[in-house]
Amino acid sequence: MNKAILLGTTGVAAALAMLAFGFVAGSPQVAKADTAIVQTASSDTKIDRAEVEGIIRDYLLKNPEVLLEVQDALEAKQKEEQRIAALGVIKNAKDEIFNSTFDGVVGNPNGKVTIVEFYDYNCGFCKRAIEDMRALTKSDPDLRFVLKEFPILGPDSQKASVVSMAFHLMKPEKYGEFHNALLGGQGRATEAAAIKVALSLGADEAELREKMKDPTITEAFSKTFDLANKLAITGTPSYVVGNEVVFGALGQEVLAEKIEAAKAAL
């Protein structure tokens, strides 16, 4: 193989490396593109596929950082696509996200800016993040904090949330106290633990158990899971602040920055 051919084929090695990376990830479009480039290279330089693959392998072994660059670029592209998709969902489902009658509200119910938390009563990160909610609502009188029940951690979480939502239907004014007591308490949240908290806050047990059968509770869960799916939320806690989805317990400082950005956009 002469020097001109080597330079020409090595010149496409970086592009082929990116295609090869995508091919490993299982993209049929990338596989087609890979084949096309190899065919072009073959027709222009009279080398076969094995030679091209050898050049790619040699290039990647000598420059493995290329794969890291490709991975970073891919992740950035996916995040941007996810952000744009979330903007559309938030715009089209604004009332379901921010103003659902099924959700509890703490802080200022008429606050200028709203933050929505998707949470599970048995999520350890949610238990730690409760202090962020308390601090934020205490320091910001214009903050409306919406609590959206998203029980994804098994049957205990689901049953505890049924009790929680039944209590919300009965005594919405005490829902914040219930939430703080159950999520901030010790031990696993179960149906029995949730009922105990509800009774301590004045709920009648017979009425509570009857309210737990209310079909609107199942409807609320269904809508929340559908929203989470559309917003690419798969874990707790996750938040919606303004036009942004925030994943994970990132702490009070980060959430405060997001809240200020949402205010600035009003």
Side-chain angles (χ1 to χ4, degrees), residues 17 24 87 101 104 135 164 176 222 229 236:
V24 171
L87 281 174
T101 56
S164 177
S222 178
N229 182 56
T236 53

Coordinates of all heavy atoms in Angstrom, one line a residue, residues 17 24 87 101 104 135 164 176 222 229 236:
A17 N -14.1 5.5 13.2 CA -14.1 5.1 14.7 C -15.4 5.5 15.3 O -16.0 4.7 16.1 CB -13.0 5.9 15.4
V24 N -21.3 -0.6 17.6 CA -21.2 -1.5 18.8 C -22.4 -1.2 19.7 O -23.0 -2.1 20.3 CB -19.9 -1.2 19.6 CG1 -20.0 -1.9 21.0 CG2 -18.7 -1.7 18.8
L87 N -39.3 19.9 27.2 CA -40.0 21.2 27.0 C -41.4 21.0 26.4 O -42.3 21.7 26.8 CB -39.1 22.1 26.1 CG -37.9 22.8 26.7 CD1 -37.1 23.4 25.6 CD2 -38.3 23.8 27.7
T101 N -55.1 18.2 41.0 CA -55.8 18.2 42.3 C -55.4 17.0 43.2 O -55.7 17.0 44.4 CB -57.3 18.2 42.1 OG1 -57.7 17.1 41.3 CG2 -57.8 19.5 41.4
G104 N -50.3 17.0 46.7 CA -50.3 17.8 47.9 C -49.4 19.0 47.6 O -48.5 19.0 46.7
A135 N -36.1 23.6 53.9 CA -35.3 24.8 53.9 C -35.7 25.8 52.8 O -35.8 27.0 53.0 CB -33.8 24.5 53.7
S164 N -51.6 7.6 51.8 CA -51.2 9.0 51.7 C -52.2 9.8 50.9 O -52.7 10.9 51.3 CB -49.8 9.2 51.1 OG -49.5 10.5 51.0
G176 N -49.2 18.2 54.4 CA -47.8 18.5 54.6 C -47.3 17.9 55.9 O -46.1 17.3 55.9
S222 N -51.8 6.5 37.7 CA -51.7 6.2 36.3 C -51.2 7.4 35.6 O -50.3 7.4 34.7 CB -53.0 5.7 35.7 OG -52.9 5.5 34.3
N229 N -42.9 8.9 32.5 CA -42.4 8.2 31.3 C -42.1 9.2 30.2 O -41.1 9.2 29.6 CB -43.4 7.2 30.9 CG -43.0 6.4 29.6 OD1 -41.9 5.8 29.6 ND2 -43.8 6.4 28.6
T236 N -36.2 8.5 41.8 CA -36.6 9.5 42.8 C -35.5 9.9 43.6 O -34.6 9.1 43.9 CB -37.8 9.0 43.7 OG1 -37.4 7.8 44.3 CG2 -39.0 8.8 42.8

